[in-house]
């Protein structure tokens, strides 16, 4: 039987740079399709929910496109589901971005804003960092976690740099789903989650150089192993 | 926080160019070659700035963005000649992660609001090109430093933040291309008056200047051109025939041994980052990264 290519549905809800996600998929040998068609989502091997922009608009758009229940079904079905940046936040229960908005409720916990992340300079002065965080930052295993083996982060070193752009971050209730943590100023937050078939990261692996591409390679391998 | 080092590629037609005070553009090579090299050297992002706003022309910026964004997996900001939400969408669809707007934003500030709503604040970078006058005031210029506006840059920076811009690139036209260092006063005054990140641009002639932009200028990220470009040009022999007849190629015709870089002390991305780290500035530095790939 000829080897068939892994297919990814990159969910298009009108926001975000879907093209860099698609290019990173191609690099990993995954055939990415940018789509908002629920049938295509159900047929693909993996579903990727990317996104930048406002939480409320993104959820409104998912409702309008009638994609909310299908995303929840996919999460429950065991099909690999990946959330990136705002996509990670959308998987959560709710967000406090400009109000209080319900998310997809796939991972329990809220999305909260960076409240005055502060550093102490070498001169002993306190300095509040800019929000949004726009920079490369490091990912670490949370206390009590042993390894990234078998996850999309397999093979990456502790302290690997990834590219972040965000003002809000997810706070999953269950510490067991925290896959990485990252520190901005004096705030340590959950920078990626994994629960069964669901993986989501606040950083942009598709914009994080060769080590970010490794995340896509790992996703391709994990999906191929499942098929 | 980790400072970002952002090579800035000014582009005219198919060529990478560099001028002084944004004028007298000289051809240095193909933007794709520079972009690939900087990506491999650990640049944190790239900025493409179209010097002649040739968005839809032959060999346009959109083509270059399309080709390079498939192979370069770091954030790419594209600016120059973007007039509308549709223009912005075109560039994002070609693979840009962020866009930088100046002229159209001054003409119609609501564009910042519309664009940040449509694509997210973090996608919209506003470029501020400043000229310092003899009385110490700073005026915003548009059209790649060609047209005055009468707008005070500090008021404009605050307005731009209110309208939803996610980041600012602040270029001193007085310093641009001179190699005499960033305008630290301009950078610091803007960086301290807004809560969004500020990218310092214009004037880097050495690694020490880049350090100053952060330590004294309070910049959150630093963009530079000549320092990096001249280093790359020195390292390779380029045949001038490879370039099309458009543009000033006098620079490339010079004998390689006698290139005159003026005040520029060139450096690589790694050398810049090493210097910053030695001086207590944190940034992404993974010399082993290429080995993992």
């Amino acid at each position: 039987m000829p080897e068939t290519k892994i297919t990814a549905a990159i969910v298009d809800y009108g926001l975000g740079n879907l093209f860099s996600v698609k290019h990173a998929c191609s690099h990993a040998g995954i055939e990415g399709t940018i789509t908002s068609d629920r049938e295509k989502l159900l047929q693909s091997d993996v579903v990727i929910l990317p996104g930048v922009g406002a939480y409320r608009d993104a959820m409104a758009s998912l409702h309008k496109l009638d994609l909310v229940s299908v995303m929840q079904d996919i999460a429950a079905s065991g099909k690999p589901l990946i959330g990136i940046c705002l996509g990670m936040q959308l998987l959560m229960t709710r967000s406090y971005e400009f109000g209080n908005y319900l998310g997809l409720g796939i991972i329990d916990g809220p999305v909260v804003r960076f409240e005055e992340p502060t550093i102490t300079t070498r001169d002993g002065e306190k300095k509040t960092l800019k929000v949004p965080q726009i920079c490369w930052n490091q990912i670490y295993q949370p206390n009590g976690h042993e390894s990234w083996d078998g996850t999309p982060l397999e093979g990456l070193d502790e302290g690997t740099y990834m590219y972040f752009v965000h003002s809000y971050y997810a706070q999953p209730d269950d510490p067991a789903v925290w896959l990485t943590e990252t520190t901005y100023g004096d705030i340590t937050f959950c920078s990626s989650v994994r629960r069964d078939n669901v993986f989501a990261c606040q950083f942009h692996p598709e914009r994080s150089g060769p080590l970010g591409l490794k995340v896509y390679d790992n996703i391709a391998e994990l999906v191929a192993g499942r098929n | 926080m980790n400072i970002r080092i952002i090579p800035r590629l000014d582009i005219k037609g198919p060529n990478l160019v560099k001028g002084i005070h944004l004028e007298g553009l000289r051809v240095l090579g193909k933007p794709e070659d520079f972009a690939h090299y900087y990506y491999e050297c650990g640049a944190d992002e790239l900025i493409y700035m179209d010097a002649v706003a040739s968005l839809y022309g032959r060999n346009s910026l959109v083509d270059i963005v399309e080709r390079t964004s498939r192979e370069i997996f770091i954030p790419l900001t594209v600016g120059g000649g973007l007039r509308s939400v549709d223009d912005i969408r075109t560039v994002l669809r070609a693979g840009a992660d962020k866009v930088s707007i100046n002229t159209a934003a001054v003409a119609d500030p609501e564009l910042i609001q519309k664009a940040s709503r449509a694509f997210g604040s973090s996608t919209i970078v506003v470029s501020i090109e400043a000229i310092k006058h003899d009385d110490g005031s700073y005026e915003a210029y548009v059209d790649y430093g060609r047209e005055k506006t009468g707008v005070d840059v500090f008021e404009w920076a605050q307005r731009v933040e209110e309208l939803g811009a996610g980041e600012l690139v602040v270029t001193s036209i007085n310093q641009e291309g001179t190699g005499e260092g960033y305008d630290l006063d301009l950078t610091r005054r803007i960086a301290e008056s807004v809560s969004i990140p500020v990218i310092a641009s214009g004037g880097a002639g050495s690694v020490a200047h880049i350090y100053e932009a952060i330590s004294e200028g309070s910049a959150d990220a630093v963009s530079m051109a000549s320092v990096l470009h001249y280093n790359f040009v020195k390292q390779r022999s380029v045949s001038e025939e490879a370039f099309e007849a458009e543009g000033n190629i006098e620079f490339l015709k010079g004998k390689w041994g006698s290139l005159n870089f003026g005040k520029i002390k060139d450096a690589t991305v790694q050398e810049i980052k090493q210097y910053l780290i030695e001086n207590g500035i944190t940034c992404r530095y993974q010399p082993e990264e290429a080995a993992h790939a």
Side-chain angles (χ1 to χ4, degrees):
Chain A
M1 219 171 95
E3 199 177 315
T4 49
K5 225 173 175 184
I6 294 165
T7 56
I10 302 166
V11 182
D12 180 4
Y13 54 97
L15 285 167
N17 185 356
L18 310 170
F19 297 89
S20 58
V21 173
K22 186 175 154 84
H23 293 331
C25 282
S26 307
H27 195 274
I30 301 170
E31 191 179 325
T33 305
I34 294 171
T35 180
S36 54
D37 177 350
R38 54 187 295 147
E39 287 308 313
K40 289 227 171 73
L41 265 55
L42 292 166
Q43 286 158 14
S44 66
D45 297 319
V46 49
V47 173
I48 303 177
L49 183 66
V52 294
Y55 199 95
R56 182 184 62 172
D57 295 349
M59 278 311 298
S61 182
L62 288 174
H63 278 288
K64 199 172 155 197
L65 293 163
D66 195 19
L67 293 177
V68 171
S69 63
V70 72
M71 294 297 295
Q72 290 162 338
D73 291 347
I74 286 165
S77 74
K79 185 196 289 281
L81 172 63
I82 317 277
I84 298 169
C85 193
L86 181 63
M88 172 179 180
Q89 298 177 9
L90 294 171
L91 299 184
M92 306 300 296
T93 313
R94 64 179 66 248
S95 170
Y96 296 108
E97 182 175 334
F98 305 121
N100 181 355
Y101 297 98
L102 284 182
L104 292 169
I106 291 167
I107 305 280
D108 291 337
V111 176
V112 299
R113 186 175 167 86
F114 277 125
E115 292 297 343
E116 305 211 341
T118 304
I119 50 163
T120 308
T121 65
R122 286 201 297 185
D123 311 327
E125 273 177 66
K126 297 262 184 207
K127 191 183 161 200
T128 305
L129 297 181
K130 300 274 171 91
V131 176
Q133 165 175 233
I134 306 185
C135 66
W136 293 71
N137 206 338
Q138 292 170 284
I139 55 171
Y140 292 95
Q141 292 181 25
N143 275 340
H145 288 239
E146 282 160 15
S147 155
W148 289 329
D149 288 355
T151 79
L153 304 181
E154 181 164 339
L156 294 181
D157 293 334
E158 283 272 314
T160 294
Y161 286 89
M162 292 284 166
Y163 184 76
F164 287 81
V165 184
H166 62 130
S167 300
Y168 290 77
Y169 58 93
Q171 277 185 324
D173 294 337
D174 178 4
V177 304
W178 286 44
L179 187 61
T180 62
E181 60 182 29
T182 296
T183 301
Y184 187 54
D186 55 352
I187 296 172
T188 296
F189 64 95
C190 174
S191 49
S192 70
V193 290
R194 184 194 178 229
R195 197 198 60 207
D196 307 324
N197 54 314
V198 179
F199 165 76
C201 49
Q202 182 59 60
F203 48 85
H204 288 272
E206 66 282 355
R207 294 284 100 172
S208 296
L211 297 178
L213 290 176
K214 189 161 176 55
V215 177
Y216 281 86
D217 290 341
N218 285 339
I219 290 168
E221 275 188 32
L222 289 168
V223 174
R226 183 177 174 270
N227 284 1
Chain B
M1 68 171 282
N2 295 307
I3 294 294
R4 288 167 288 151
I5 297 300
I6 310 179
R8 168 171 165 156
L9 285 67
D10 289 79
I11 294 168
K12 183 179 177 185
N15 294 327
L16 181 131
V17 294
K18 190 70 199 82
I20 297 176
H21 310 306
L22 297 178
E23 292 177 335
L25 303 176
R26 302 186 296 192
V27 173
L28 297 188
K30 296 281 176 206
E32 292 91 331
D33 297 340
F34 287 78
H36 275 277
Y37 179 69
Y38 298 145
Y39 171 58
E40 283 161 16
C41 288
D44 295 317
E45 297 188 24
L46 295 176
I47 294 176
Y48 287 2
M49 202 63 87
D50 193 327
V52 290
S54 59
L55 188 57
Y56 297 104
R58 181 178 60 92
N59 285 320
S60 75
L61 190 55
V62 168
D63 298 334
I64 296 170
V65 172
E66 243 169 35
R67 285 199 300 274
T68 50
S69 69
R70 291 166 197 279
E71 294 153 6
I72 291 174
F73 296 95
I74 51 174
L76 174 59
T77 300
V78 176
L82 303 173
R83 305 272 166 219
S84 63
V85 167
D86 284 342
D87 285 352
I88 293 170
R89 186 175 290 115
T90 301
V91 173
L92 294 176
R93 290 202 165 247
D97 299 281
K98 308 187 234 186
V99 295
S100 152
I101 50 177
N102 177 19
T103 310
V106 172
D108 173 21
E110 275 186 22
L111 176 63
I112 299 169
Q113 202 167 36
K114 278 187 258 176
S116 62
R117 282 198 186 138
F119 307 109
S121 267
S122 61
T123 306
I124 308 304
V125 182
V126 170
S127 168
I128 297 180
E129 292 168 359
I131 283 188
K132 184 180 188 177
H133 294 304
D134 293 340
D135 65 357
S137 66
Y138 286 90
E139 181 180 352
Y141 272 62
V142 296
D143 278 333
Y144 203 73
R146 288 183 280 259
E147 298 289 333
K148 68 205 305 314
T149 63
V151 174
D152 173 81
V153 295
F154 304 107
E155 286 169 23
W156 178 232
Q158 302 219 323
R159 176 95 196 277
V160 158
E161 178 184 18
E162 283 161 22
L163 288 167
E167 239 178 322
L168 299 177
V169 183
V170 177
T171 305
S172 159
I173 298 174
N174 304 73
Q175 299 302 105
E176 205 280 329
T178 63
E180 291 174 351
Y182 296 87
D183 185 329
L184 301 176
D185 192 42
L186 169 72
T187 308
R188 186 182 53 250
R189 283 176 67 187
I190 293 184
E192 289 178 354
S193 73
V194 295
S195 63
I196 52 178
V198 168
I199 304 168
S201 165
S206 68
V207 290
H209 289 150
I210 294 161
Y211 170 75
E212 286 166 8
I214 304 156
S215 63
E216 291 177 48
S218 297
D220 301 286
V222 193
S223 117
M224 68 291 299
S226 308
V227 167
L228 294 171
H229 297 341
Y230 292 171
N231 182 278
F232 183 49
V233 166
K234 265 200 333 198
Q235 289 185 33
R236 50 188 224 141
S237 61
V238 183
S239 117
E240 67 196 59
E241 287 81 42
F243 298 94
E244 298 183 20
E246 53 193 288
N248 177 353
I249 60 167
E250 288 305 308
F251 180 75
L252 289 176
K253 286 182 186 164
K255 284 214 162 91
W256 293 104
S258 63
L259 282 177
N260 177 13
F261 296 139
K263 292 185 177 160
I264 309 287
K265 287 186 213 143
D266 63 274
T268 63
V269 172
Q270 293 100 324
E271 284 164 354
I272 293 169
K273 291 191 170 187
Q274 261 168 358
Y275 183 89
L276 295 180
I277 288 167
E278 283 163 13
N279 287 280
I281 307 259
T282 57
C283 53
R284 173 181 71 122
Y285 185 64
Q286 287 180 314
E288 75 281 13
E289 178 158 325
H292 277 270

